[in-house]
Amino acid sequence: MIEENGETMSKLLKMQGICKSFYGVEVLHGVDFEVEKGEIRALCGENGAGKSTLMKVLSGIHEQEGGEVIYNGEQIKPTADPLEVQSHGISMIHQELNLFDDLTVAQNIFLCREPRKANGLIDFGKMYRESVRLLERLGEKIDPRTPVRELKIAQKQMVEIAKAISFNVELLVMDEPTAVLTGKETEIMFNLMRNLSEDGIAIIYISHRLKEITDVCHTVTVLRDGSYIDTKNVAEVTEKDIATLMVGREVHHSSIGDFSGDEEDVILEVKGVTDNMLNDVNFSVRRGEIICFSGLVGAGRTELMEVVFGIRHPEKGEVLLEGKPVSVKSAIDAIRCDIGLVTEDRKDTGLVLCRDITENSNYVFWRKTPGFFRNAKKTKSNTDGMIDRLNIRCAGAQQDVANLSGGNQQKVALAKWLISDAKVLILDEPTRGVDVGARQEIYQIIRELAESGMAIVIVSSDMQEVMNISQRVVVMHEGRKTGELKCSQMNEEKIMYLATNV
Amino acid sequence: MEELKRRNRFIELSSKLWKNYSIVVVFFVILLICGIAAPRFLRPNNLLNILRNTSIVGIIAIGMTFVIIAGGIDLSSGATLATSGAALIALQKLVTEAGDPAMPLIIPIVVCLTISTGIGFANGIIITKAKLPPFIVTLAVGIIARSVVMYFCRGATIMGNRIPTFTNIGNGSVFSIPIPFIVAILLAVILHVILTRSKFGTYVFAVGGNENAARYSGIKVDRIKIITYMLVGFCTGVAAVIEMSRMAAVAATSSGMQYEFEAITAVIVGGTSLNGGKGRLVGTIVGFIILGIVNNMMIMLNISPYLSGAVKGAVILFAVLLQRRDR
C-alpha cells in the first residue's frame, strides 16, 4: 500500500484498524480497507473470514469497537445507525432479499420515504414516475404497480438495487447478489454494475464465485481469519491466485476415480419412485461409494431425496436397504434405517439456530439411543470429537449455532449424522454458501466417510463439485433419470447433455 | 495468549451469568426496595404468606414454561383450574359424607388431575392434528371449560367439606414453610432436571427453536407438543387441588379467573422467550415470587386494588426491556 497524502485525498472510503468482537471473541483484528470512486472492489475470504462483519460495521448494523471509518474525508461516527450511514450515500444489498412481497415495486423502493402531496397524503403519481426512472436506469421495464410477490427472483434483485441507488448512493455494498441468479441474469447484473461504476459509483462486491470476480471487478481484497491479507489488481491475478490467498495454501482440483469397492455390496436401492414430480426413478448406492445427482433446477432431485428420507410420500416405488424392502414413512423411520440427510437449507430444516453446538449435533444420537436422560459424558465426548475432527471453528461447544459462520454451521449439520453412525448419508447441496477452504475440508470429510464404508449420495448443482467428488453421477431431467456416468466417463458436456435431455 | 484466552473465558462466563441470572439480581433489588418502603414487608410471617399466596399461579407457571419454550401458549389454564376444581369439590363432598374421612380424598384428587391433564391433552391434540394456532385453540377450549363449570355449578359457588385433612393441603405448613410453596418447589426441581438433563427437555427446546429442523432430526414434534400441554394441564390440576383446599369451595365465575395471564406473566418476567427455544425454570420461580411481592406491596402501601393491573403491566414491560439485550 502506498502511503502518500495526495493518495488519501482521492479515496472515497478509508477504514482503518477496524476491530469487532462477539461474545468476547475478536473476529476482526484491526482491518484496513480502502475504496476509490467508481471502483468495483471484490471482497473475498472464506466463510468466517470477516467479510460480512466488516461490511456490517461499515453500514452501521454492527457498532465498531476500534479504528475509524473515513468517508469522503469525513469521519463517520462509530455509533452511526444504518439510516445515518445511508444518508452519507452508502447502501448495502444483503444476501437475503429484504422486500415486502405484498407491497408494490414502488412502495418497496420508497418505503418510509414516500413522496407527499401538500395535504400530507402519499403522492403515488410521483412515486411511480420516480420508480420508472430508477428502473430504467437499470435497464429494467417493470411496472412499479406490480406487487413484488409476482416478480421473478432476478427482478426482485433489480428492485433491491433500484432501492439502494435511490438514496443518491456513492458506495454500494453487494453481499453475494448472484447466489440466486441464473447465468444470463448474472450477465445483465454485471453490465449494470459496470454502468454504475462509469457513473462514479463505487461497488464493494462480496462473492464466493471467483470467476465472477475476475469478470467484473477491478480490484480484489482478501481477508483471512479476520485480518487483512492483500489487495490485488484483478488483471494481474488468476482465480487460482485468489483462492490461494484466501486459504493460505494451494488448492488442488482433481477427480476421485471410479468406485473400487465391492460392486455387489449395495446398501441402498430405490425402485420405481413415481409421483407428480418424479417419474419411475431407480438408483442404488454401494458401501463406500460416492454418487452425485446432477441436473437443472426442477429436475426433482431434492424431491427424490425427500422420498428416501421419508419426508415425501410417493404414489409408487420402494426403498430397499441391504436388499430388504423397508417402509420409510417419516424421518424417524429413515433414522432407524441409518439414513441421514443434510438438507439444502440448513437454517430452515437443518439446525436449531438458537441452541448450541452440543444439542444440534446430538439430536439424532439421542433419538437412536435408549434412556430418558441424555448421557452427559457421551454427549460431551461426541461433541468434542466432532469439533476436533471436522475442525469446527467456535468459542466452545456451548456456542449457539446462530453465531457460527456458514461453513461451520454446515459442519454442525454434518456432525449430527456422523455421531449417529449413518450408513447412508444424503447431502443436498453440501457446499452452498460455503467458501473455497471450507469446501475443500468438506470434500475431504466426505472422502474419508466413504473410505470408512459410508454410502454417500450428493445432490449438487455445481458442475465443478460433481466432477471433483463423485465416483458416479446420476443425471435427472424433469423428474426422470436420463443417465448415469462413471467417473472415468464423465465430462461436463456429457452431463449437461443429459441434464438438458437434448 | 493463554492469559488472553483465560480473560476471554472470564468475560464470556460473566456475561453469560448476567444474561441468564440478571433476574435474580433484580429480585434482590426489589426485596431491598420493598423492605425500605414498608419495613413490615420483611417480617417472616408476611414473607411466608407471600409464598403461600403466589404458589398457586406459580405451579401453573412452571408447566406453562414448557409450553412457551416449545413455542406454544395456554390460555385455558384458569378455566381448567375451575373445571377440575369443581369436580374435586363435588367428589370430596360425596366421599367425605360417605364415611372414612382421610383415605378417599385420593380419589377426588386423582379425578381432578385426570381432568386437567385431559384438557391439556385435548389442547395438544387439536393444535397438532388440526394444525391450528395454540392461541386460538386454548382460548376456545378455555371458554368451553369455563362454560361447563358455570353450568355444572349453576353459576354459583359449591361448598366442599371443611375437614382438616383437606384444608391442610393449602393452609398447612411443614417446618413453618407453606405446603403450597413446598409443592411448587418440588415440582420445579423435578421439572428443572427434566428440562435441562433429559432428552425430552432438549427436544422441547428444539421444537420451540425450529420445528422443521427438529422434525428432520427425527424428533416427534407433535408428541413433544402434546406432552407440554398435558404437563401444564397436570400442573394446573395440582394448583386446583391447593386452591380448592384453601377455600374448600369452588366459585364458577371467579375460581382461577385470569390465572393463565398471571402465569404467562411470571414466565415472561422469568426471562423465557415468547418466541420459543429459550427459557429456564429458575427464572419462572423468581418470576412468580416477584408477582407475589408486587401483590403484597400493593396492600402494604395501601394502593387501590384497581391499580394492580397497572403495576403488573409495568413489571412485564420492565422485565422484557431488561432482557431485550439477550436476543
Side-chain angles (χ1 to χ4, degrees):
Chain A
M1 281 273 123
I2 311 155
E3 282 297 333
E4 281 174 36
N5 285 337
E7 168 109 354
T8 46
M9 289 305 286
S10 77
K11 295 283 182 225
L12 178 65
L13 170 76
K14 196 169 168 160
M15 298 176 86
Q16 267 183 333
I18 304 295
C19 291
K20 176 75 198 170
S21 309
F22 292 117
Y23 303 96
V25 180
E26 196 174 80
V27 293
L28 289 179
H29 320 285
V31 174
D32 300 330
F33 186 66
E34 298 176 335
V35 177
E36 279 167 64
K37 270 197 166 69
E39 179 184 4
I40 304 181
R41 168 73 62 90
L43 188 55
C44 280
E46 297 187 277
N47 279 344
K51 313 175 294 281
S52 293
T53 311
L54 184 67
M55 288 304 110
K56 283 179 179 168
V57 167
L58 173 63
S59 59
I61 295 168
H62 293 329
E63 198 173 310
Q64 80 201 54
E65 282 157 11
E68 53 177 4
V69 180
I70 295 166
Y71 183 73
N72 263 341
E74 256 179 85
Q75 185 172 358
I76 296 183
K77 281 187 304 206
T79 53
D81 61 25
L83 225 68
E84 204 176 330
V85 173
Q86 232 160 24
S87 69
H88 281 94
I90 302 177
S91 272
M92 181 157 176
I93 297 171
H94 294 272
Q95 217 166 340
E96 289 93 18
L97 293 170
N98 285 312
L99 296 174
F100 295 88
D101 276 346
D102 292 312
L103 299 185
T104 63
V105 169
Q107 281 174 319
N108 266 290
I109 294 175
F110 287 99
L111 197 69
C112 297
R113 311 171 284 131
E114 295 85 354
R116 307 270 173 170
K117 291 184 200 164
N119 59 13
L121 297 178
I122 293 174
D123 186 347
F124 279 99
K126 189 176 176 202
M127 198 159 97
Y128 291 137
R129 280 194 304 279
E130 285 289 306
S131 302
V132 169
R133 195 181 56 77
L134 281 165
L135 289 164
E136 265 171 5
R137 188 171 167 199
L138 306 180
E140 190 64 48
K141 287 191 189 70
I142 314 170
D143 182 356
R145 294 170 184 79
T146 323
V148 164
R149 188 180 293 287
E150 292 168 17
L151 300 183
K152 294 195 205 97
I153 284 190
Q155 291 176 314
K156 290 185 185 176
Q157 190 69 269
M158 288 299 168
V159 175
E160 281 274 17
I161 297 171
K163 186 177 170 182
I165 61 172
S166 70
F167 289 87
N168 284 327
V169 68
E170 287 178 297
L171 176 62
L172 186 59
V173 182
M174 303 171 97
D175 193 352
E176 296 203 54
T178 58
V180 291
L181 302 186
T182 65
K184 206 173 147 200
E185 290 165 347
T186 304
E187 205 40 58
I188 293 172
M189 203 177 69
F190 286 172
N191 281 329
L192 172 66
M193 285 167 66
R194 291 186 191 106
N195 289 343
L196 292 175
S197 153
E198 273 164 27
D199 292 349
I201 296 175
I203 297 173
I204 300 173
Y205 184 73
I206 302 179
S207 177
H208 284 135
R209 300 183 183 169
L210 302 184
K211 175 96 179 41
E212 293 180 351
I213 289 169
T214 50
D215 275 0
V216 75
C217 298
H218 304 135
T219 48
V220 51
T221 293
V222 177
L223 300 182
R224 191 197 306 149
D225 296 330
S227 298
Y228 172 88
I229 299 299
D230 207 350
T231 299
K232 300 266 191 197
N233 267 329
V234 166
E236 295 162 10
V237 291
T238 63
E239 287 168 43
K240 208 169 167 206
D241 294 338
I242 302 173
T244 311
L245 277 176
M246 282 164 64
V247 293
R249 57 183 180 265
E250 291 277 333
V251 180
H252 295 288
H253 288 291
S254 57
S255 73
I256 186 168
D258 283 353
F259 177 61
S260 58
D262 182 357
E263 297 275 341
E264 300 301 313
D265 196 3
V266 173
I267 289 197
L268 178 77
E269 188 169 7
V270 173
K271 280 186 185 167
V273 173
T274 304
D275 66 9
N276 57 350
M277 289 285 289
L278 300 165
N279 195 336
D280 192 26
V281 185
N282 305 295
F283 77 92
S284 65
V285 58
R286 306 174 187 91
R287 195 181 304 278
E289 189 182 25
I290 305 173
I291 66 169
C292 270
F293 274 77
S294 188
L296 302 174
V297 173
R301 296 168 297 161
T302 297
E303 289 76 6
L304 179 63
M305 297 310 145
E306 285 172 354
V307 168
V308 177
F309 195 65
I311 298 282
R312 189 183 170 95
H313 306 117
E315 290 152 22
K316 269 194 290 182
E318 57 177 342
V319 175
L320 288 87
L321 197 73
E322 295 176 317
K324 288 187 286 282
V326 286
S327 157
V328 191
K329 294 254 180 289
S330 66
I332 187 71
D333 288 343
I335 288 166
R336 281 204 198 99
C337 296
D338 296 316
I339 300 172
L341 171 67
V342 176
T343 56
E344 191 177 6
D345 184 345
R346 54 181 173 262
K347 287 191 173 124
D348 183 42
T349 49
L351 298 166
V352 184
L353 290 177
C354 68
R355 305 306 299 174
D356 63 18
I357 298 174
T358 305
E359 291 186 12
N360 270 288
S361 44
N362 282 285
Y363 288 134
V364 180
F365 169 74
W366 289 325
R367 286 302 281 138
K368 284 179 93 169
T369 47
F372 182 73
F373 290 101
R374 16 192 268 201
N375 182 337
K377 221 168 152 188
K378 193 79 184 47
T379 298
K380 186 175 178 340
S381 71
N382 279 344
T383 318
D384 291 348
M386 278 303 144
I387 290 175
D388 196 43
R389 178 172 167 199
L390 304 183
N391 190 19
I392 300 172
R393 267 157 266 167
C394 59
Q398 314 303 320
Q399 190 177 354
D400 283 356
V401 173
N403 300 328
L404 295 177
S405 70
N408 285 311
Q409 286 184 346
Q410 188 69 337
K411 289 180 191 171
V412 175
L414 200 59
K416 181 161 76 174
W417 301 107
L418 304 195
I419 288 176
S420 59
D421 295 323
K423 277 184 200 158
V424 179
L425 185 60
I426 305 167
L427 301 119
D428 199 349
E429 304 287 358
T431 57
R432 175 168 289 177
V434 170
D435 59 88
V436 181
R439 195 170 284 203
Q440 293 303 325
E441 282 182 84
I442 289 173
Y443 293 158
Q444 186 54 36
I445 293 162
I446 290 173
R447 277 188 216 107
E448 284 168 16
L449 291 173
E451 273 161 28
S452 72
M454 198 182 271
I456 310 273
V457 180
I458 297 169
V459 174
S460 177
S461 300
D462 180 341
M463 192 67 84
Q464 198 65 51
E465 178 166 290
V466 173
M467 302 292 295
N468 231 322
I469 189 83
S470 58
Q471 294 168 331
R472 185 157 54 96
V473 59
V474 179
V475 190
M476 289 178 70
H477 173 77
E478 292 184 352
R480 208 183 273 274
K481 185 167 105 175
T482 48
E484 270 192 39
L485 297 168
K486 282 184 180 175
C487 184
S488 52
Q489 308 164 324
M490 244 186 257
N491 63 43
E492 298 196 15
E493 288 85 37
K494 276 192 199 165
I495 296 175
M496 206 27 102
Y497 183 79
L498 291 168
T500 49
N501 201 23
V502 285
Chain B
M1 195 61 202
E2 199 52 36
E3 175 63 26
L4 193 76
K5 245 185 181 167
R6 206 172 298 142
R7 228 184 68 206
N8 275 342
R9 203 170 300 154
F10 177 75
I11 294 169
E12 199 188 329
L13 191 76
S14 47
S15 80
K16 204 169 175 175
L17 272 180
W18 167 250
K19 227 172 91 177
N20 287 330
Y21 298 105
S22 54
I23 191 71
V24 180
V25 179
V26 172
F27 173 66
F28 282 107
V29 172
I30 290 177
L31 270 189
L32 195 76
I33 295 171
C34 291
I36 294 165
R40 274 183 306 152
F41 169 82
L42 286 175
R43 283 187 197 160
N45 262 343
N46 185 52
L47 293 179
L48 291 172
N49 222 354
I50 292 175
L51 294 182
R52 184 187 301 281
N53 287 330
T54 196
S55 289
I56 293 169
V57 162
I59 290 168
I60 301 175
I62 289 165
M64 190 72 81
T65 309
F66 278 75
V67 171
I68 291 179
I69 290 175
I73 193 104
D74 186 358
L75 300 181
S76 71
S77 305
T80 303
L81 182 136
T83 313
S84 55
L88 175 73
I89 289 288
L91 278 174
Q92 187 258 354
K93 218 162 95 180
L94 266 180
V95 294
T96 46
E97 275 164 8
D100 183 11
M103 268 312 285
L105 210 52
I106 195 75
I107 297 162
I109 289 177
V110 168
V111 170
C112 169
L113 293 177
T114 311
I115 290 175
S116 66
T117 313
I119 294 174
F121 179 70
N123 278 328
I125 282 283
I126 301 170
I127 289 163
T128 53
K129 301 305 171 198
K131 298 194 184 356
L132 291 173
F135 183 91
I136 312 266
V137 172
T138 57
L139 181 69
V141 168
I143 293 170
I144 295 169
R146 175 66 67 185
S147 155
V148 169
V149 182
M150 302 269 259
Y151 177 77
F152 183 73
C153 301
R154 308 249 155 18
T157 299
I158 301 184
M159 304 296 291
N161 241 341
R162 294 194 67 91
I163 50 166
T165 38
F166 183 47
T167 53
N168 267 351
I169 302 173
N171 299 310
S173 298
V174 174
F175 299 116
S176 68
I177 298 172
I179 291 176
F181 186 65
I182 295 174
V183 173
I185 291 301
L186 264 178
L187 257 178
V189 168
I190 295 169
L191 290 179
H192 173 78
V193 171
I194 290 178
L195 185 62
T196 54
R197 302 254 184 274
S198 80
K199 291 176 184 172
F200 165 73
T202 316
Y203 300 156
V204 170
F205 283 112
V207 168
N210 184 348
E211 205 178 310
N212 278 334
R215 192 168 286 123
Y216 274 75
S217 299
I219 295 170
K220 292 190 168 162
V221 172
D222 288 358
R223 183 183 290 184
I224 300 291
K225 283 188 185 171
I226 293 170
I227 295 175
T228 62
Y229 285 101
M230 289 173 73
L231 202 59
V232 72
F234 177 81
C235 288
T236 307
V238 174
V241 173
I242 293 168
E243 174 96 340
M244 295 307 130
S245 116
R246 290 197 69 187
M247 314 289 178
V250 61
T253 49
S254 66
S255 279
M257 210 57 189
Q258 302 242 318
Y259 279 18
E260 61 276 6
F261 291 111
E262 301 249 336
I264 293 166
T265 305
V267 176
I268 296 171
V269 169
T272 294
S273 158
L274 266 183
N275 299 328
K278 289 261 175 204
R280 54 200 175 268
L281 275 173
V282 181
T284 300
I285 296 171
V286 178
F288 74 72
I289 295 177
I290 287 178
L291 278 191
I293 292 173
V294 169
N295 284 331
N296 182 260
M297 282 306 286
M298 305 283 297
I299 300 164
M300 287 278 164
L301 299 177
N302 258 331
I303 300 171
S304 160
Y306 296 126
L307 278 175
S308 84
V311 176
K312 278 181 211 163
V315 169
I316 300 182
L317 286 179
F318 179 71
V320 175
L321 266 178
L322 192 81
Q323 287 151 4
R324 203 169 54 128
R325 31 180 282 139
D326 296 10
R327 263 167 251 140

